[in-house]
Amino acid sequence: LLLPISGRNGAIATTIRDGFMTAYYQTPEAQRTPINIYDTGETGIAENVARATQEGADIIVGPLTRDEVVAAAGIVTRRPPILALNFLPTGQPAPTGFYQYALSPEDEARLVAHRILADGHKNGLAIVPSGDWGTRVLAAFKQELEAGGGGLYAATALDTGMTDYSDSLTTVLRISDSSARHRR
């Protein structure tokens, strides 16, 4: 496993590691395949791939972040197959023995839209982080709602650098309108 355990994505990486270890310990001991964990937060991708290869890895699972996946795809030396836990940028072909797997945030947004429609609702509301990631998630959510005959009622993008979101949430949830109706 190549995961950024000591990096800024450490919480996500730790969750993935723990999932692998749970499956490992639930497998009967005689059927267990050894798992080595390499922290990409401490050393680079090329060094970790080389070390895993040298130590006899049959397959490498990881890396996790987009930048790490791009770096791993660029390794042209002999190595075991890699199952990356993210995708290469659009238009960048995967090399031989390089596989990509991830449930993208856009896919998750589409699943939420499906659920809203399946529950008999027609409109959705979205609160996303500001930036490219939030824009992509919002677009996927809106597109799926509209494709299913629904629509986006309202949306807001939150600045993740802030700690007080009350103004943005009050606006998107139309709490001021509700308070005005109550006063009337």
Side-chain angles (χ1 to χ4, degrees):
L1 283 173
L2 269 60
L3 298 169
I5 293 171
S6 64
R8 69 172 213 203
N9 293 302
I12 297 167
T14 299
T15 300
I16 293 168
R17 179 205 60 201
D18 292 350
F20 268 83
M21 297 313 295
T22 297
Y24 175 81
Y25 286 112
Q26 288 178 348
T27 302
E29 192 169 345
Q31 297 174 4
R32 290 181 188 161
T33 300
I35 298 174
N36 294 327
I37 301 164
Y38 303 90
D39 186 358
T40 61
E42 292 181 357
T43 50
I45 295 301
E47 295 88 351
N48 281 305
V49 169
R51 186 171 160 214
T53 302
Q54 185 179 24
E55 292 176 3
D58 294 320
I59 186 168
I60 295 173
V61 177
L64 177 63
T65 68
R66 174 80 57 108
D67 291 340
E68 291 176 334
V69 169
V70 169
I75 297 172
V76 295
T77 57
R78 190 178 83 47
R79 58 160 175 73
I82 293 177
L83 175 60
L85 300 176
N86 207 326
F87 293 107
L88 289 168
T90 304
Q92 181 175 349
T96 302
F98 190 90
Y99 307 94
Q100 304 167 77
Y101 174 79
L103 181 58
S104 72
E106 294 89 344
D107 289 340
E108 290 187 46
R110 288 182 189 96
L111 290 173
V112 170
H114 276 286
R115 180 60 189 251
I116 289 169
L117 296 167
D119 286 349
H121 304 290
K122 289 292 180 188
N123 296 306
L125 178 132
I127 301 169
V128 299
S130 61
D132 181 55
W133 186 85
T135 301
R136 290 191 331 262
V137 169
L138 179 59
F141 178 67
K142 181 179 177 187
Q143 180 184 29
E144 202 65 32
L145 272 177
E146 290 173 351
L152 186 62
Y153 181 72
T156 191
L158 301 178
D159 179 354
T160 57
M162 296 175 55
T163 56
D164 181 4
Y165 302 118
S166 56
D167 288 342
S168 296
L169 295 176
T170 298
T171 301
V172 76
L173 296 173
R174 300 184 68 178
I175 293 172
S176 300
D177 294 351
S178 178
S179 296
R181 280 191 306 276
H182 176 73
R183 282 192 297 278
R184 282 194 307 268

